């Protein structure tokens, strides 16, 4: 099935509930080829032009779910949402970025999905459209299953507030070249609220928000001055984020200390990424 409009796509899903929507197919076809998924039908979304662009709406950018990573990586989009553009640039090799989409990254919900921590830090919301109409869902609620995609619904748009303030995305892959993240950090400043928002990806099934670390470091920033912090504050923030997002399993269990080297490395990685992200955002 190849609908030419969003209305046609919604009608097609209603008529064939077993049909699986596909845009870029980078994750979906991998699952099909591996024998993990056997859809009764595929619903191609590539002809729906309204899903491939974006528009301004009430201080936010309304992004079509069909936006490719390659399109988001371009300078004009980077000027709009820098952290999301940077995340898009790191998604696999060029052939994947050329066809992979923002909506696919969200629906696949892979723990290492590069755009997911950025969307979590930006507190993006999703427009889900079905036969009964449209509804708005926080991206974090969809990813955690608190408000999942319902039968017959399609992800149509992603609404991202435009902060017009520094935002950063960093990731570690453990090797050179395009690869899945072993850890990633998205950090944005929100001067209007005098807030810092941070999300850590790839270390858990969903992006994690270290809320206490955010609140603490926001209180250390001179919002009316040069927006700088002491290097010691940045280092402490990194440790705060790492301890919140990569728990010390031995300490929690009450058992004698027997540090897990892999967990220690991961905590160090997250700490360094968070410290660097804060430093870049405040530069």
């Amino acid at each position: 099935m190849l609908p030419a409009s969003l209305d046609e796509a919604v009608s097609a899903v209603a008529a064939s509930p077993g049909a699986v929507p596909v845009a870029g197919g980078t994750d979906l076809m991998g699952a099909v080829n591996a024998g993990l998924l056997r859809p009764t039908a595929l619903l191609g979304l590539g002809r729906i032009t309204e899903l491939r662009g974006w528009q301004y709406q009430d201080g936010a950018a309304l992004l079509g779910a069909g936006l490719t990573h390659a399109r988001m990586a371009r300078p004009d989009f980077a000027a709009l949402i820098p952290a999301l553009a940077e995340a898009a640039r790191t998604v696999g090799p060029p052939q994947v970025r050329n066809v992979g989409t923002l909506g696919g990254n969200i629906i696949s919900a892979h723990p290492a999905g590069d755009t997911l921590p950025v969307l979590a830090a930006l507190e993006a919301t999703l427009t889900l459209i079905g036969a009964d109409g449209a509804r708005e869902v926080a991206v974090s609620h969809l990813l955690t299953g608190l408000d999942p995609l319902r039968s017959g619904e399609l992800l149509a748009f992603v609404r991202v507030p435009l902060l017009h303030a520094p935002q950063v995305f960093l990731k570690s892959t453990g090797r050179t070249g395009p690869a899945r993240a072993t850890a990633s950090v998205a950090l944005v400043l929100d001067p209007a609220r005098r807030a810092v928002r941070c999300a850590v990806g790839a270390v858990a099934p969903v992006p994690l928000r270290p809320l206490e670390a955010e609140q603490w470091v926001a209180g250390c920033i001179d919002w009316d001055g040069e927006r700088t912090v002491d290097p010691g504050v940045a280092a402490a923030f990194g440790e705060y984020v790492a301890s919140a997002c990569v728990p010390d399993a031995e300490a929690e269990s009450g058992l004698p200390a027997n540090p897990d080297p892999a967990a220690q490395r991961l905590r160090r990685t997250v700490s360094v990424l968070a410290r660097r992200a804060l430093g870049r955002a405040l530069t």
Side-chain angles (χ1 to χ4, degrees):
M1 293 180 281
L2 293 171
S5 70
L6 191 52
D7 287 342
E8 288 183 15
V10 170
S11 297
V13 171
S16 182
V20 177
V22 56
T26 53
D27 287 330
L28 174 66
M29 296 315 297
V32 170
N33 293 335
L36 302 176
L37 185 65
R38 288 286 181 264
T40 58
L42 295 177
L43 180 69
L45 304 178
R47 295 173 58 194
I48 305 176
T49 58
E50 58 196 298
L51 297 183
R52 298 204 300 267
W54 71 80
Q55 58 185 292
Y56 299 101
Q57 185 183 82
D58 300 327
L62 194 65
L63 313 178
L67 269 174
T68 65
H69 301 300
R71 183 66 190 88
M72 290 188 289
R74 293 182 188 174
D76 59 338
F77 189 91
L80 190 72
I81 313 174
L84 194 54
E86 184 57 37
R89 294 188 190 105
T90 71
V91 176
Q95 57 267 35
V96 170
R97 295 196 295 272
N98 287 337
V99 296
T101 64
L102 177 62
N105 216 208
I106 296 168
I107 296 300
S108 296
H110 191 283
D114 291 316
T115 67
L116 303 185
V118 178
L119 296 174
L122 289 168
E123 297 184 344
T125 57
L126 311 175
T127 301
L128 308 178
I129 299 181
D132 296 330
R135 65 189 182 101
E136 298 292 319
V137 175
V139 66
S140 58
H141 289 183
L142 183 79
L143 294 175
T144 59
L146 186 63
D147 200 346
L149 192 71
R150 299 169 185 170
S151 177
E153 284 186 329
L154 292 172
L155 169 57
F157 302 102
V158 181
R159 188 179 187 277
V160 179
L162 296 177
L163 300 179
H164 303 295
Q167 48 185 259
V168 178
F169 171 79
L170 298 174
K171 86 176 192 180
S172 174
T173 64
R175 64 185 180 87
T176 59
R180 287 192 185 274
T182 55
S184 61
V185 168
L187 185 141
V188 301
L189 301 185
D190 188 346
R193 299 180 181 178
R194 299 188 174 218
V196 175
R197 297 205 294 272
C198 177
V200 177
V203 302
V206 298
L208 302 178
R209 288 277 303 276
L211 299 178
E212 291 185 359
E214 293 176 1
Q215 294 168 2
W216 174 77
V217 79
C220 297
I221 297 173
D222 178 9
W223 293 99
D224 296 319
E226 297 181 356
R227 293 185 197 169
T228 59
V229 295
D230 184 271
V233 170
F237 173 69
E239 292 297 324
Y240 206 164
V241 171
S243 63
C245 296
V246 188
D248 186 339
E250 289 77 16
E252 289 188 351
S253 67
L255 298 175
N258 183 24
D260 179 353
Q264 286 185 316
R265 286 194 298 272
L266 185 58
R267 289 183 73 166
R268 285 196 297 270
T269 298
V270 171
S271 177
V272 170
L273 291 176
R275 171 174 57 80
R276 289 178 178 173
L278 178 65
R280 293 188 185 184
L282 294 173
T283 300

